[in-house]
Amino acid sequence: MTEMSPEEQLRRSELAAKARQLICECFTVQAADDSSITAYYFGFYLQIFFSALHPLILFSLARKLRDTESPKQLEAVNDLNLRSILGTHTINPEVGCYAYRAVHWLDTELTRDRLFELLGRLAGEAQRGYERLRV
């Protein structure tokens, strides 16, 4: 494995820190810790996680489902994941919700326009997945 220079480590850390700051400016943050931010977006509970070392940003959009254990839903989740390019769909029966997760590499500074372009595409995919699973 190639070692990362201190300059590259700093660059990556700054990309993640700037992305986090931008997101905090764009949303009413419901909760936050060292590695994540929680807000609401497009009717979804939105959690955003950061990994400065890589640097990655993970978006998770979740919404409550009435029923989470029907065989038809499990088959639909599998089908959604076979067709999804951007992320993954899942059902969590323990908390009774649907979630859509996608990871993006932060290779350049995240802008407001790019953030909302990403979120728009992800929320659209999450909405389609959620609608498919509602029974």
Side-chain angles (χ1 to χ4, degrees), residues 47-103:
Q47 289 182 290
I48 304 171
F49 301 89
F50 303 90
S51 171
L53 177 62
H54 295 97
L56 298 173
I57 185 168
L58 179 137
F59 298 93
S60 179
L61 295 147
R63 189 183 286 169
K64 182 143 183 68
L65 271 176
R66 256 184 300 158
D67 179 29
T68 58
E69 297 191 32
S70 79
K72 188 175 181 179
Q73 282 178 317
L74 297 176
E75 189 176 310
V77 157
N78 188 49
D79 187 58
L80 285 165
N81 284 321
L82 288 171
R83 299 172 193 280
S84 182
I85 302 169
L86 298 175
T88 59
H89 303 264
T90 187
I91 295 173
N92 185 333
E94 292 175 12
V95 293
C97 76
Y98 158 80
Y100 178 75
R101 295 172 56 122
V103 176

Side-chain angles (χ1 to χ4, degrees), residues 88-133:
T88 59
H89 303 264
T90 187
I91 295 173
N92 185 333
E94 292 175 12
V95 293
C97 76
Y98 158 80
Y100 178 75
R101 295 172 56 122
V103 176
H104 291 275
W105 191 271
L106 288 172
D107 54 349
T108 62
E109 190 171 329
L110 186 64
T111 65
R112 182 182 176 89
D113 287 345
R114 180 69 174 135
L115 171 64
F116 283 102
E117 177 188 352
L118 282 170
L119 284 172
R121 289 180 183 180
L122 299 176
E125 180 75 11
Q127 184 64 36
R128 284 186 292 281
Y130 179 79
E131 289 300 324
R132 176 110 185 259
L133 297 173

